[in-house]
């Protein structure tokens, strides 16, 4: 894909499941190469569904979606998905978990090993390579899950609330680590989250969604310089943005009729 | 006292207590002219010693039948479970007939099998097979369809082939269920072989098993020998169950939560 053509392009996309009311409607969004776009919004606004559409896990019901200039399902070879849960195979060691996607693609063993070694060192888990998932903490499991995605050398990384279940300190730490990896590898990211602070810290742009049906109500560019560090969180520009996005999110949540 | 020593000592103490209780009941509770109904443990051991060659050959015959029936049930149930895991429609079509296999009493089945394949090892193996089959196929199928949805998505997204999805994902994640079925079947297998032997065994030429011995000893009213046969049957069951527990430990101890140490 060339630098000029967008990596992901939504044009008036809608998604419905069966006869139910649409989950997403009128989604128009364009992601350029190397962008880091966070999707934030109330529960049930279709953020995760949006990621699943990009991944080709579910077809669009209306409008047009192009990933790397083509319809989603065919672009999967340079796309990686990180789920909300670590989604590790409990019967495999950390190393074999990281290699599993490559095994599915019949990558030769020595290449597999090299890519896994690199991913292990990127997430600083080399010393735990022979452990089983149950021996790891929540944060470590998530790092294995990210390492596994990175072995695919993705151009497009989809993260579905990957740090939602972690405590705040671990989350901050993993946010910094994710950006550090981004300095060394170039990918475009879509990141679903409930945390405004996390979205501002990571993103180049934040899309705020409202529910019933899910649609994008605001797009907030985040022009804080990279590399971002723990000090970034102390800067007035960061805090102004967090306040701004929080207010936008609150206005969305108030105006969204709740089902329950 | 250490926990380890205690976990060894307590079962021994419990065993000693029950044997003591046995003697007390026999001597203090049961009237003298009825005592032959509950032979003393030492009499049972003597009976076991006296009839050792007979019991040994019967145990070997029964173990052979049990092992063949059990092995056949494991192999076939696994294959069938793979098929059943493909779709709910396939399961809905086959499950009722699987129930038929399980619900047909051995006492009805035995005469039919005798007519079809004749009395002896073949009939015993088939009866054992039928008794073991159902828990195996139900548990394994349940395991194969209970794979974590996210893991399935992960595999599909990686363009995993159908075979990769089955053998790299569904089969390993079904192993805990498979071993549950295996444990149930392993305790049923010797019982199946003994019942099968009693109804459809062949007593001629040293082919009789523990079921046949049971019939002989009860006809001759040899209660100590009958109790000895029961004890040997239990031992055979322990061997089967123990072997499966060992296999399960080998396959799961590294990764499955059921083998996680409590203090970890």
């Amino acid at each position: 894909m060339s630098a000029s053509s967008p990596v992901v392009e939504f044009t008036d996309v809608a998604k419905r499941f069966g006869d139910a009311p649409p989950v997403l409607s009128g989604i128009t969004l364009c992601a350029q190469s190397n962008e880091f776009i966070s999707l934030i919004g109330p529960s049930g606004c279709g953020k995760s569904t949006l990621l699943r559409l990009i991944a080709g896990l579910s077809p669009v019901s209306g409008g047009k979606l192009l990933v790397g200039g083509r319809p989603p399902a065919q672009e999967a070879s340079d796309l990686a998905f990180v789920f909300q849960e670590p989604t590790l195979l409990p019967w495999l060691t950390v190393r074999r978990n990281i290699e599993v996607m490559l095994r599915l693609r019949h990558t030769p063993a020595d290449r597999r090993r090299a890519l896994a070694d690199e991913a292990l060192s990127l997430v600083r888990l080399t010393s735990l390579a022979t452990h089983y998932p149950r021996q790891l903490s929540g944060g470590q499991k998530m790092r294995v899950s990210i390492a596994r995605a990175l072995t695919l050398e993705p151009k497009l990384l989809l993260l579905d609330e990957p740090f939602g279940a972690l405590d705040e300190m671990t989350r901050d730490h993993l946010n910094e680590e994710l950006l550090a990896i981004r300095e060394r590898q170039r990918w475009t990211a879509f990141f679903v989250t409930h945390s405004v602070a996390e979205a501002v810290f990571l993103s180049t742009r934040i899309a705020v969604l409202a529910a019933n049906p899910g649609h994008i109500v605001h797009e907030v560019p985040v022009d804080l310089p990279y590399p971002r560090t723990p000090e970034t969180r102390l800067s007035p520009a960061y805090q102004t943005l967090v306040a701004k996005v929080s207010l936008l999110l609150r206005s969305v949540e108030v105006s969204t009729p709740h089902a329950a | 006292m250490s926990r380890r020593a205690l976990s060894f000592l307590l079962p021994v103490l419990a065993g000693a207590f029950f044997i003591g209780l046995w003697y007390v009941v026999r001597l203090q509770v049961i009237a003298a002219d009825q005592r032959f109904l509950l032979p003393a443990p030492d009499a049972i051991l003597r009976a076991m010693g006296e009839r050792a060659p007979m019991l040994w050959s019967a145990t070997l015959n029964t173990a052979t039948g049990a092992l063949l029936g059990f092995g056949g049930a494991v192999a076939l149930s696994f294959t069938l479970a793979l098929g059943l895991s493909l779709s709910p429609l396939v399961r809905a079509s086959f499950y009722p007939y699987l129930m038929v296999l399980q619900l047909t009493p051995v006492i009805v089945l035995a005469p039919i099998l005798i007519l079809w394949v004749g009395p002896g090892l073949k009939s015993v193996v088939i009866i054992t097979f039928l008794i073991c089959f159902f828990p195996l196929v139900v548990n394994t199928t349940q395991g194969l369809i209970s794979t974590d949805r996210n893991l399935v998505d992960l595999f599909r997204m990686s363009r995993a082939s159908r075979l990769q999805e089955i053998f790299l994902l569904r089969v390993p994640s079904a192993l805990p269920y498979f071993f549950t079925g295996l444990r149930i079947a392993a305790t049923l297998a010797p019982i199946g072989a003994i019942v099968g032997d009693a109804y459809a065994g062949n007593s001629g030429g040293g082919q009789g098993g523990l079921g046949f011995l049971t019939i002989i000893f009860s006809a001759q009213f040899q209660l100590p020998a009958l109790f000895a046969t029961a004890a040997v049957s239990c031992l055979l069951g322990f061997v089967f169950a123990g072997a499966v527990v060992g296999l399960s430990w080998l396959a799961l101890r590294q990764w499955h939560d059921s083998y996680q140490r409590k203090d970890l």
Side-chain angles (χ1 to χ4, degrees):
Chain A
M1 41 188 114
S2 71
S4 58
S5 76
V7 180
V8 177
E9 192 175 9
F10 284 88
T11 316
D12 196 28
V13 166
K15 175 65 189 176
R16 55 171 73 237
F17 293 99
D19 295 331
V23 181
L24 291 169
S25 141
I27 301 287
T28 298
L29 181 68
C30 210
Q32 302 297 333
S33 187
N34 288 339
E35 272 203 283
F36 195 120
I37 300 182
S38 283
L39 306 168
I40 196 164
S43 300
C45 71
K47 310 181 289 283
S48 299
T49 307
L50 211 141
L51 283 199
R52 294 174 65 88
L53 293 181
I54 302 174
L57 284 174
S58 187
V60 301
S61 318
K64 202 165 103 185
L65 169 59
L66 293 177
V67 180
R70 278 178 280 175
Q74 293 161 18
E75 193 58 28
S77 62
D78 35 18
L79 176 151
F81 203 107
V82 178
F83 293 89
Q84 209 162 344
E85 281 92 40
T87 321
L88 304 178
L89 304 169
W91 55 89
L92 297 182
T93 59
V94 166
R95 168 179 288 284
R96 291 177 74 85
N97 259 295
I98 289 175
E99 286 184 11
V100 78
M101 312 280 270
L102 300 170
R103 267 170 83 193
L104 295 179
R105 293 180 181 194
H106 305 289
T107 308
D110 49 341
R111 175 94 183 114
R112 220 158 62 199
R113 212 171 167 74
L115 284 168
D117 280 334
E118 195 192 328
L120 274 167
S121 79
L122 276 176
V123 298
R124 298 182 301 110
L125 279 179
T126 308
S127 60
L128 297 180
T130 57
H131 282 53
Y132 284 84
R134 75 169 193 201
Q135 298 168 287
L136 307 180
S137 71
Q140 288 169 334
K141 282 184 201 165
M142 215 57 235
R143 272 149 67 193
V144 176
S145 186
I146 290 170
R148 181 180 58 193
L150 296 178
T151 59
L152 301 180
E153 303 177 293
K155 287 187 181 137
L156 181 55
L157 192 56
L158 308 175
L159 304 109
D160 187 359
E161 235 186 294
F163 309 135
L166 304 176
D167 62 88
E168 201 174 332
M169 267 177 66
T170 311
R171 175 192 286 228
D172 284 354
H173 193 77
L174 285 176
N175 283 168
E176 289 148 26
E177 218 162 82
L178 188 61
L179 287 187
I181 293 168
R182 188 168 173 269
E183 293 297 315
R184 298 174 56 178
Q185 293 196 328
R186 283 291 160 187
W187 25 257
T188 309
F190 276 84
F191 189 96
V192 167
T193 180
H194 274 112
S195 156
V196 172
E198 182 173 65
V200 172
F201 185 76
L202 292 172
S203 315
T204 56
R205 188 149 52 112
I206 299 172
V208 181
L209 279 83
N212 298 326
H215 59 286
I216 297 172
V217 278
H218 300 285
E219 278 187 45
V220 184
V222 181
D223 37 19
L224 303 168
Y226 291 94
R228 297 180 188 167
T229 60
E231 285 70 45
T232 306
R233 293 198 184 91
L234 306 174
S235 72
Y238 169 84
Q239 287 172 0
T240 310
L241 272 164
V242 169
K244 181 180 170 191
V245 176
S246 296
L247 278 174
L248 288 174
L249 188 61
R250 186 162 320 156
S251 72
V252 163
E253 283 181 332
V254 167
S255 65
T256 302
H258 282 277
Chain B
M1 188 180 291
S2 80
R3 218 186 149 73
R4 203 197 182 94
L6 214 62
S7 74
F8 191 74
L9 195 67
L10 279 179
V12 173
L13 282 177
F17 173 77
F18 279 117
I19 291 174
L21 192 69
W22 188 313
Y23 279 108
V24 170
V25 168
R26 182 177 147 77
L27 297 173
Q28 300 299 322
V29 182
I30 303 178
D33 58 342
Q34 299 283 309
R35 269 180 204 149
F36 71 97
L37 288 174
L38 186 68
D42 55 284
I44 295 170
L45 276 179
R46 269 201 307 281
M48 206 184 281
E50 283 160 15
R51 293 176 175 79
M54 203 188 235
L55 279 167
W56 178 242
S57 109
T59 304
L60 280 186
N61 289 335
T62 295
T64 306
L67 205 59
L68 289 175
F70 177 71
V74 171
L76 253 137
S77 68
F78 195 80
T79 315
L80 182 64
L82 282 177
L84 288 175
S85 71
L86 292 179
S87 95
L89 218 60
V90 178
R91 286 193 288 286
S93 336
F94 280 89
Y95 263 148
Y97 306 104
L98 283 174
M99 296 286 291
V100 169
L101 280 185
Q102 181 70 4
L103 293 173
T104 311
V106 173
I107 196 167
V108 181
L109 212 61
I112 300 173
L113 283 176
I114 291 174
L115 289 174
W116 283 357
V117 300
L121 187 63
K122 274 188 209 158
S123 290
V124 171
V125 169
I126 293 173
I127 288 171
T128 310
F129 172 91
L130 290 173
I131 285 182
C132 294
F133 193 69
F134 189 73
L136 280 169
V137 84
V138 169
N139 275 290
T140 309
T141 307
Q142 190 61 36
L144 289 170
I145 62 174
S146 302
T147 317
D148 183 341
R149 186 68 226 169
N150 284 330
L151 289 174
V152 175
D153 277 348
L154 182 80
F155 267 59
R156 300 237 161 118
M157 227 159 29
S158 317
R159 300 284 174 273
S161 69
R162 193 76 194 161
L163 281 181
Q164 284 179 324
E165 183 182 320
I166 290 173
F167 288 103
L168 293 179
L169 177 61
R170 290 193 184 270
V171 168
S173 83
L175 280 181
Y177 292 82
F178 169 72
F179 277 108
T180 303
L182 209 61
R183 281 188 197 203
I184 299 171
T187 52
L188 291 176
I191 296 175
I194 290 166
V195 173
D197 185 52
Y199 286 123
N202 183 358
S203 53
Q207 290 179 50
L210 291 167
F212 172 66
L213 275 193
T214 308
I215 293 176
I216 299 291
F217 292 149
S218 69
Q220 296 174 352
F221 231 66
Q222 300 190 37
L223 272 127
L226 213 46
F227 272 81
T229 311
V232 171
S233 305
C234 286
L235 281 177
L236 183 61
F238 271 124
V239 170
F240 266 75
V244 166
V245 169
L247 277 179
S248 160
W249 182 81
L250 282 177
L252 305 181
R253 88 199 128 102
Q254 292 271 34
W255 63 273
H256 198 252
D257 283 339
S258 58
Y259 288 92
Q260 188 149 16
R261 277 180 27 219
K262 293 287 181 292
D263 55 334
L264 208 71

